[in-house]
């Protein structure tokens, strides 16, 4: 078999798929981690732009401001990336409950619930106060 040919040798190139294309859950998590990272970067930029409590001045007055910025960005990416990934996982539905939206199947609007009558055995010969 020559390079670029499929397993049948018919001259068709093999289809190469990466791990993210084969695993929709990993793709979902990677996309939401990237969204969380973008939000974290925007938040850090906003904090530096607004300079609350002279935070920007304090960071850039240090001998190594990159370390402080890196640690701050890392913490924000972990926080917002985890929040975005967790939200994405919690909103995933299965085919079984797809008609009812998140949370499984829903009852029809006209359906009413009635309590079921359950017989309860009584204790004969015992006092109520013990």
């Amino acid at each position: 078999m020559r390079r670029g040919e499929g397993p049948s040798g018919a001259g068709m190139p093999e289809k190469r798929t990466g791990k993210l294309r084969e695993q929709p859950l990993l793709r979902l998590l990677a996309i939401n981690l990237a969204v969380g990272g973008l939000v974290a970067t925007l938040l850090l930029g906003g904090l530096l732009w607004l300079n609350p409590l002279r935070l920007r001045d304090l960071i850039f007055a240090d001998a190594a401001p990159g370390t402080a910025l890196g640690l701050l960005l890392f913490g924000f990416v972990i926080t917002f990336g985890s929040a975005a990934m967790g939200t994405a996982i919690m909103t995933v539905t299965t085919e079984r409950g797809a008609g009812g939206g998140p949370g499984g199947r829903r009852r029809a609007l006209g359906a009413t619930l009635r309590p079921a009558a359950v017989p309860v055995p009584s204790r004969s010969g015992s006092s109520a106060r013990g």
Side-chain angles (χ1 to χ4, degrees):
M1 185 179 336
R2 287 183 280 162
R3 184 180 173 144
E5 289 185 356
S8 64
M12 298 292 294
E14 323 184 300
K15 187 176 181 181
R16 294 184 182 178
T17 58
K19 287 218 182 247
L20 289 179
R21 291 186 185 187
E22 294 173 5
Q23 301 291 329
L25 181 62
L26 289 178
R27 184 175 57 230
L28 175 76
L29 291 176
I31 289 170
N32 283 284
L33 178 62
V35 168
L38 178 67
V39 170
T41 305
L42 290 174
L43 179 69
L44 182 61
L47 280 175
L48 292 176
W49 181 61
L50 291 175
N51 197 18
L53 300 173
R54 298 174 38 127
L55 180 66
R56 178 185 59 209
D57 300 335
L58 180 67
I59 289 174
F60 288 115
D62 190 30
T67 304
L69 289 173
L71 288 172
L72 196 57
L73 182 63
F74 177 73
F76 283 160
V77 167
I78 292 295
T79 301
F80 291 107
S82 298
M85 290 165 60
T87 303
I89 288 294
M90 287 186 268
T91 58
V92 170
T93 60
T94 60
E95 292 296 324
R96 210 173 18 174
R105 285 191 255 169
R106 308 255 172 148
R107 293 188 176 268
L109 291 176
T112 59
L113 299 176
R114 289 179 279 153
V118 178
V120 178
S122 64
R123 293 187 235 168
S124 58
S126 64
S127 67
R129 296 195 176 211

